[in-house]
């Protein structure tokens, strides 16, 4: 005999069940490996950044990286991803860094403070609609997308060694 069910009232159980029912569609519709990457069009952040439409990059391997200026791991990840971009861009590797910073000046100040300027495109998701479309819940979160627009890798967070893991996923895709 367990005491736990006796301690939880029926209204509390009903409220929990309702909350789970409301959250289930959001959790179930998160973009996962094997899903087609949702298309988007976003404006560039810096004067050198073009507007980006994801579907225009079909035929390339694309790394979509959601970040924000207040994200400390992003301070390490963005430059390291830049190194991979510089190494593999001639083989069809593209990086699109999506910031949700409001005001956008926070993003530009963050980018200006980097030791080495990023060579890849940085775009703004001012309404966070694209972030919501991808169901991003933490920064950084990234999606490695193959030449056909299919998400092949989803990665949340950033710690030492993650760049090597990305490269290990990237190289076979470039060879396909």
């Amino acid at each position: 005999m367990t005491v736990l069910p006796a301690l939880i009232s029926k209204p509390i159980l009903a409220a929990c069940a309702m909350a789970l029912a409301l959250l289930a569609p959001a959790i179930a519709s998160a973009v996962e490996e094997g899903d087609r990457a949702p298309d988007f069009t976003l404006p560039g952040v810096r004067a050198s950044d073009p507007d980006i439409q994801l579907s225009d990059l079909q035929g390339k391997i694309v790394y979509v990286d959601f970040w924000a200026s207040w994200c400390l791991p992003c301070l390490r990840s963005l430059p390291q991803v830049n190194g991979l971009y510089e190494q593999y861009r001639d083989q069809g590797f593209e990086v699109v860094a999506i910031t949700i910073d409001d005001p956008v000046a926070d993003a530009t100040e963050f980018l200006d403070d980097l030791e080495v300027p990023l060579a890849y495109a940085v775009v703004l998701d001012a309404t966070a609609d694209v972030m919501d479309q991808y169901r991003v819940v933490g920064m950084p979160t990234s999606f490695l997308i193959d030449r056909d627009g299919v998400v092949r890798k989803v990665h949340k967070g950033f710690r030492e060694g993650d760049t090597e893991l990305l490269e290990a996923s990237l190289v076979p895709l470039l060879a396909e």
Side-chain angles (χ1 to χ4, degrees), residues 2-3 5 15 27 31 37-38 45 47 57 66 68 73 88 94 98-99 132 135 140-141 144 156 163 167 176:
T2 178
V3 179
I27 294 168
V31 175
V45 168
L57 299 175
F66 289 87
Y88 293 107
E94 289 291 335
I98 301 175
T99 183
D132 291 345
R135 299 289 185 210
T141 298
L144 187 60
K156 297 174 184 173
T163 306
E167 187 173 22
E176 287 182 3

Side-chain angles (χ1 to χ4, degrees), residues 19-176:
L20 285 174
L22 292 172
L23 289 174
I27 294 168
S29 64
V31 175
E32 298 176 352
E33 294 171 14
D35 290 349
R36 186 153 206 72
D39 195 19
F40 59 81
T41 302
L42 292 172
V45 168
R46 304 168 294 185
S48 61
D49 292 321
D51 293 353
I52 296 288
Q53 182 166 355
L54 181 63
S55 58
D56 288 346
L57 299 175
Q58 192 154 349
K60 297 183 178 195
I61 306 301
V62 182
Y63 185 73
V64 173
D65 189 21
F66 289 87
W67 70 280
S69 63
W70 45 260
C71 165
L72 289 178
C74 298
L75 186 60
R76 292 192 331 266
S77 68
L78 292 170
Q80 289 187 28
V81 169
N82 193 62
L84 287 179
Y85 175 70
E86 294 280 17
Q87 184 176 351
Y88 293 107
R89 70 178 167 183
D90 292 340
Q91 297 175 46
F93 180 49
E94 289 291 335
V95 176
V96 179
I98 301 175
T99 183
I100 57 158
D101 278 310
D102 182 20
V104 71
D106 291 349
T108 56
E109 288 173 22
F110 179 95
L111 295 169
D112 289 343
D113 288 343
L114 294 175
E115 290 181 26
V116 176
L118 300 180
Y120 52 79
V122 180
V123 296
L124 176 65
D125 184 11
T127 61
D129 287 345
V130 176
M131 185 182 82
D132 291 345
Q133 219 178 345
Y134 278 76
R135 299 289 185 210
V136 172
V137 293
M139 300 290 170
T141 298
S142 57
F143 300 84
L144 187 60
I145 302 165
D146 70 15
R147 297 179 195 280
D148 296 321
V150 175
V151 175
R152 299 290 285 271
K153 187 82 174 160
V154 178
H155 188 79
K156 297 174 184 173
F158 185 83
R159 45 196 102 44
E160 287 308 314
D162 283 355
T163 306
E164 290 79 12
L165 293 174
L166 169 57
E167 187 173 22
S169 297
L170 171 64
V171 170
L173 290 177
L174 291 169
E176 287 182 3

